Amino acid sequence: MKRSSVKELLHSDKFLQEVHVKGWVRTFRSNRFIALNDGSTINNIQCVVDFENTEEELLKRITTSAAVSITGTLTESQGKGQSVEITVTKLEILGDSNPDEYPIQPKKHSLEFLRENAHLRIRTNTFSAVMRVRSALSFGVHKYFQENGFNYVNTPIITGSDAEGAGEMFHVSNFDTNKAPLNEAGEIDYTQDFFGKETNLTVSGQLEAETYAMALGKVYTFGPTFRAENSNTTRHLAEFWMIEPEVAFNDLDANMDLSEDFIKSVLGYVLENCKDDLAFLDNRLTQEEKTKPQAQRSEMGLLEKLNFVANNNFKRVSYTEAFDILRNSKPNKKKKFQFPITEWGVDLQSEHERYLVEKHFKCPVILFDYPAKIKAFYMRLNDDGKTVRAMDVLFPGIGEMVGGSQREERLDVLKAKMADLNIDEEELWWYLDTRKFGTAVHSGFGLGFERLVLFTTGMSNIRDVIPFPRTPQNAEF
């Protein structure tokens, strides 16, 4: 008999028909009522067992997280909280679960405890909802780009360049760590290593994506990236996923248009297709906010924040205008900011970005034309010689969501900027070639996928929106 999903059955009106379903027991009460879930939805289906005609040994094996196969009749539910239920005619235990050893009991657990059991935390309502939303967001990303003429490019995970110039990269080597050969200067001789040079795990696919954009026109990457930053904050991971579109002939204005349209489309897809999960996460966040001091509570619920971004035009403001607003703001004058705004050219912090979005403009904000000294070498220099054609998209509750720019297409200017930062031309000879052979205006941006999932689900720690987080001193599972 064909197996149905719990989600299908909960939306079915084919009463009195025989159905077949498999899943895991969430709860079993009164030796009669099984709450069954198979991962297709956050909602359980109630399965009613005739305990008088069921062997006692079988009833004892119906424990939390046991895998079961159930055949029965779909009926209209007489109880509250569900529209349908299954009257069980046949029950089979597919996999036992010892209740004395199973760590994820049907009660509230701390998120830290669940991180320690990341292989089982997906069986909770919170994490199953988060990961279904993550899956839908991922599909929404590909859907948007595929429907808008972009080509999906898989850029290297192992690279010899540091796209961001940050230097916080994981090294890749085939050497025996205790017997690495040395050169005449007493340094490790990477010419004898597997790739013949020093290599790392990538922090970005942008530079390689740019080369493809200059032939395919519109491309995007969506893959894992890595940063060896020794940070244990709620916003940092050592392994994370990046979305990076690059478009030939797009200037900064077109880049801002693309980022806004892309974000609204992806959030719109999730709002339409993850209603049950988002409703659960919205309620979860509401309950969590009640435990915080009044001053620390968010002014908007989760669904309100999502609709706030999806349905509002993004305000476009230059860095200089934003700097003036922040410098003259009450929090700055009253020294409420942790990082005071004093001199033009400072890098804005999350508190400043959130003030602009949540207090001043009351809509998502795109800041552009940042000081050159706080941005990467590949961003196009403006005629003033002080600012670059950079942009950041700012969200409520989180600050920066997207960072991008119009890329520097002029070979002489790019080489001068690289020289100022001591970036070796020989290391990026292939990148410079794109400025020699048919150079053109082009732009792109990067969006940290986990940060988008964090915003969309209302979770407070980025380690809770990726299946198996990689952080300092933690590579379990």
Side-chain angles (χ1 to χ4, degrees):
M1 184 179 181
K2 180 184 176 183
R3 176 166 59 93
S4 299
S5 71
V6 169
K7 185 175 183 179
E8 290 170 337
L9 294 177
L10 289 174
H11 289 88
S12 177
D13 59 359
K14 298 178 180 178
F15 300 127
L16 304 181
Q17 290 195 15
E18 188 177 54
V19 296
H20 179 51
V21 64
K22 295 180 181 179
W24 295 271
V25 176
R26 283 292 176 88
T27 60
F28 182 42
R29 57 188 177 84
S30 304
N31 267 7
R32 183 171 173 80
F33 302 106
I34 299 173
L36 190 73
N37 192 283
D38 66 354
S40 61
T41 173
I42 195 167
N43 299 309
N44 305 321
I45 191 165
Q46 180 167 279
C47 305
V48 184
V49 180
D50 182 356
F51 70 94
E52 292 182 353
N53 294 312
T54 304
E55 294 179 12
E56 185 176 344
E57 285 303 311
L58 184 59
L59 290 174
K60 289 180 180 179
R61 294 173 64 192
I62 305 174
T63 59
T64 298
S65 204
V68 300
S69 172
I70 286 176
T71 302
T73 304
L74 188 69
T75 60
E76 195 167 359
S77 179
Q78 302 303 309
K80 295 181 179 180
Q82 68 272 333
S83 58
V84 300
E85 63 186 23
I86 298 173
T87 301
V88 178
T89 56
K90 181 181 179 182
L91 186 148
E92 179 184 359
I93 305 295
L94 302 177
D96 290 285
S97 179
N98 187 330
D100 295 327
E101 297 180 3
Y102 182 59
I104 314 295
Q105 293 298 316
K107 65 177 184 178
K108 185 176 179 62
H109 293 284
S110 72
L111 294 176
E112 183 60 39
F113 172 81
L114 292 173
R115 284 179 213 123
E116 295 169 358
N117 292 276
H119 60 307
L120 296 173
R121 67 178 180 172
I122 189 61
R123 302 189 187 192
T124 66
N125 281 339
T126 295
F127 283 93
S128 65
V130 167
M131 293 307 164
R132 275 188 296 269
V133 170
R134 180 185 171 104
S135 176
L137 281 169
S138 180
F139 181 81
V141 168
H142 287 291
K143 181 176 184 291
Y144 177 85
F145 287 127
Q146 292 297 321
E147 290 179 351
N148 284 278
F150 284 74
N151 293 282
Y152 180 35
V153 176
N154 303 116
T155 52
I157 290 175
I158 298 174
T159 179
S161 66
D162 180 358
E164 300 296 326
E168 298 163 334
M169 304 180 76
F170 290 102
H171 296 296
V172 175
S173 176
N174 198 41
F175 284 149
D176 183 329
T177 54
N178 297 316
K179 299 178 182 178
L182 306 178
N183 57 25
E184 294 180 355
E187 301 168 336
I188 295 177
D189 185 4
Y190 286 103
T191 62
Q192 298 185 49
D193 206 351
F194 187 89
F195 293 107
K197 62 182 294 187
E198 188 172 359
T199 53
N200 311 288
L201 295 180
T202 187
V203 299
S204 169
Q206 177 205 313
L207 303 189
E208 293 88 351
E210 280 189 55
T211 69
Y212 266 62
M214 298 308 287
L216 296 178
K218 299 164 73 173
V219 303
Y220 72 104
T221 75
F222 186 7
T225 50
F226 309 84
R227 189 171 293 254
E229 184 176 0
N230 189 17
S231 174
N232 269 304
T233 76
T234 59
R235 298 179 67 175
H236 288 89
L237 290 167
E239 177 184 41
F240 52 99
W241 286 65
M242 284 291 292
I243 302 160
E244 298 174 296
E246 292 288 331
V247 185
F249 313 117
N250 263 15
D251 61 10
L252 183 65
D253 288 329
N255 202 33
M256 290 191 283
D257 290 341
L258 174 64
S259 65
E260 181 172 348
D261 190 53
F262 166 71
I263 289 170
K264 288 181 175 180
S265 173
V266 172
L267 291 182
Y269 178 82
V270 172
L271 282 165
E272 180 61 31
N273 291 278
C274 297
K275 292 179 180 178
D276 288 345
D277 288 318
L278 290 177
F280 170 83
L281 292 168
D282 182 48
N283 182 65
R284 177 195 171 277
L285 183 61
T286 298
Q287 299 306 315
E288 187 178 83
E289 288 292 308
K290 290 178 180 178
T291 66
K292 298 179 181 178
Q294 188 69 38
Q296 297 178 16
R297 294 180 188 177
S298 173
E299 294 183 6
M300 289 186 282
L302 177 60
L303 287 170
E304 191 177 359
K305 277 196 294 187
L306 296 178
N307 282 293
F308 176 85
V309 173
N311 300 319
N312 271 302
N313 290 327
F314 293 11
K315 178 70 175 179
R316 301 182 184 187
V317 184
S318 72
Y319 169 91
T320 300
E321 182 183 349
F323 170 79
D324 289 337
I325 291 169
L326 291 165
R327 183 180 56 182
N328 296 317
S329 68
K330 286 184 179 180
N332 195 57
K333 288 181 176 180
K334 293 183 177 181
K335 298 183 179 181
K336 294 289 182 68
F337 284 143
Q338 182 181 353
F339 299 93
I341 296 293
T342 53
E343 296 183 6
W344 185 93
V346 297
D347 203 356
L348 302 184
Q349 303 298 317
S350 178
E351 61 179 340
H352 308 134
E353 296 166 341
R354 291 185 59 183
Y355 174 84
L356 293 169
V357 174
E358 299 167 25
K359 303 296 184 183
H360 189 83
F361 290 109
K362 299 187 185 302
C363 66
V365 174
I366 305 180
L367 295 187
F368 63 91
D369 284 355
Y370 277 81
K373 67 179 183 180
I374 61 173
K375 290 296 182 180
F377 77 94
Y378 50 73
M379 297 184 176
R380 195 185 199 278
L381 189 66
N382 282 319
D383 293 340
D384 61 13
K386 297 191 306 178
T387 60
V388 289
R389 299 253 76 192
M391 64 163 222
D392 285 345
V393 181
L394 312 181
F395 274 21
I398 200 167
E400 181 193 339
M401 178 60 67
V402 170
S405 72
Q406 184 175 320
R407 313 311 190 189
E408 183 56 77
E409 85 280 8
R410 299 165 295 184
L411 179 62
D412 57 337
V413 178
L414 184 59
K415 291 175 72 172
K417 292 178 72 175
M418 290 172 64
D420 287 342
L421 296 170
N422 295 315
I423 298 173
D424 188 358
E425 286 187 23
E426 292 185 7
E427 182 183 328
L428 292 177
W429 64 269
W430 51 273
Y431 186 67
L432 293 174
D433 268 3
T434 61
R435 275 67 175 175
K436 294 179 182 178
F437 310 123
T439 190
V441 168
H442 60 289
S443 300
F445 62 80
L447 188 160
F449 185 55
E450 279 72 31
R451 187 165 288 194
L452 179 62
V453 182
L454 197 71
F455 175 79
T456 309
T457 60
M459 301 299 285
S460 57
N461 193 318
I462 203 164
R463 303 177 192 199
D464 296 328
V465 298
I466 191 168
F468 299 101
R470 296 292 180 249
T471 53
Q473 303 299 310
N474 178 32
E476 197 68 65
F477 309 105

